[in-house]
Amino acid sequence: MHPGELADRLRSGLLSFPVTHFDAELAFDEGRYREHLAWQASHGVAGLFAAGGTGEGFSLTPAEIDRVVRTAVDEVGGTVPVLAPATGGTASAVAQARAAQEAGADGVLLLPPYLTEAPQAGLVEHVSAVCAATDLGVIAYSRANAVYTDETVAVLAARNANLIGLKDGVGNVETMARVYAKVGERLIYIGGLPTAETFALPLLQLGVSTYSSALYNFLPEFALDFFAAVRAQDREAVYRRLNDFVIPYIDIRDRSRGYAVSIVKAGLTAVGRDGGRVRPPLKDLTAAEAEELSALIKRVS
């Protein structure tokens, strides 16, 4: 998919980061993953990001990431755009971007490099190297040790024609306002904070026209209805859903580090689709928490 076409497709609707299924020995379970992707694609989502944060990409080997991406492309490619991750240092990220193109992915999500701080000039070179390594559209994820300033985003957008988007995992209102003021519609802006529904309505005013919904993994209809309410700027509908489900859900999520992923797999199990276990260093919800989540889901299902 041409980068411009991909950008238009992604900005048109809700985005999903599907979980990655593991078997009893915590090896990749391709069959269950395929079933999940087919279900996800059937509800009209605008893009699927394979092996992302919710997909536990941080726990996958490079070979596993390649297999997960190829499985996603084979299962839903041509129906829904599939984006692959590029992670680690520049050399690793470049290799993964090239592998994504070879696998038939439609785009790349560039995650922050691991365990190092970097100046803005270094981040410019990092992103530019990845963009130069592929013809695919690239989205830079701003969070952790790769938080991009408005000046950096403007330089990157001018230098790299296939940089199509910025995913925001920080939520700094001033920074996002500055970025949009400088770059405008040259890029798409994706909300990437945990449980992005919480921030979706106010961030819409800053040009963040779509977001990645973890809830879509197990409550696709609810997630799509919420997205429609945000796009319509229906404050009553948004805040009713926040109170009915999202905020109580966040209360469970916030009880332990890493639960942002664990609670999604528990949600899949609660709706009868067997999310399975998370890999270490994450931990699954307790039985009591899983039951609490199940009761909460029943209220909105």
Side-chain angles (χ1 to χ4, degrees):
M1 186 175 288
H2 184 274
E5 182 185 357
L6 176 62
D8 289 342
R9 181 71 179 271
L10 296 180
R11 65 161 50 95
S12 72
L14 188 64
L15 309 177
S16 176
F17 280 57
V19 301
T20 302
H21 290 77
F22 303 123
D23 62 20
E25 284 73 44
L26 295 180
F28 175 49
D29 189 329
E30 182 175 325
R32 283 167 54 224
Y33 184 61
R34 284 182 177 275
E35 289 176 7
H36 182 57
L37 291 173
W39 185 59
Q40 294 272 280
S42 71
H43 287 86
V45 71
L48 293 173
F49 290 69
T54 305
E56 296 178 76
F58 47 82
S59 78
L60 301 174
T61 67
E64 287 176 321
I65 289 174
D66 187 65
R67 184 180 172 197
V68 167
V69 170
R70 288 179 181 275
T71 299
V73 170
D74 182 64
E75 185 64 34
V76 300
T79 301
V80 179
V82 173
L83 289 90
T87 63
T90 304
S92 296
V94 163
Q96 288 190 6
R98 289 173 175 158
Q101 183 163 334
E102 291 173 3
D106 296 291
V108 171
L109 177 65
L110 177 57
L111 285 89
Y114 296 144
L115 292 176
T116 187
E117 292 73 37
Q120 293 295 304
L123 293 174
V124 167
E125 296 307 319
H126 176 69
V127 176
S128 297
V130 172
C131 288
T134 179
D135 298 324
L136 301 179
V138 176
I139 297 169
Y141 196 173
S142 182
R143 64 175 291 179
N145 54 338
V147 177
Y148 303 96
T149 67
D150 55 314
E151 292 91 351
T152 295
V153 175
V155 169
L156 286 168
R159 182 182 293 188
N160 302 287
N162 63 330
L163 181 70
I164 64 169
L166 180 72
K167 185 180 181 187
D168 173 50
V170 180
N172 185 301
V173 171
E174 179 180 345
T175 298
M176 290 307 296
R178 283 173 173 266
V179 168
Y180 192 81
K182 272 191 168 63
V183 183
E185 293 297 312
R186 163 64 182 83
L187 299 176
I188 59 171
Y189 305 97
I190 299 171
L193 290 158
T195 315
E197 281 81 0
T198 318
F199 310 91
L201 187 58
L203 287 181
L204 182 67
Q205 303 302 317
L206 300 175
V208 183
S209 59
T210 187
Y211 54 89
S212 55
S213 173
L215 303 183
Y216 183 85
N217 269 279
F218 59 94
L219 286 176
E221 294 90 352
F222 177 91
L224 289 167
D225 287 347
F226 194 106
F227 179 75
V230 169
R231 280 290 186 90
Q233 299 189 57
D234 186 341
R235 292 173 57 85
E236 187 279 329
V238 168
Y239 281 96
R240 172 166 42 82
R241 288 176 171 87
L242 284 173
N243 283 315
D244 288 349
F245 182 80
V246 178
I247 292 174
Y249 171 89
I250 291 172
D251 288 341
I252 300 172
R253 182 204 72 193
D254 287 349
R255 290 177 190 165
S256 178
R257 289 180 179 271
Y259 265 13
V261 176
S262 308
I263 196 171
V264 176
K265 285 195 163 180
L268 266 170
T269 299
V271 300
R273 303 196 70 88
D274 189 12
R277 297 163 54 201
V278 294
R279 274 181 174 176
L282 301 184
K283 293 292 292 181
D284 294 303
L285 268 62
T286 66
E289 289 166 337
E291 183 59 35
E292 184 180 355
L293 175 64
S294 182
L296 181 60
I297 291 171
K298 287 177 183 177
R299 286 169 40 186
V300 296
S301 301

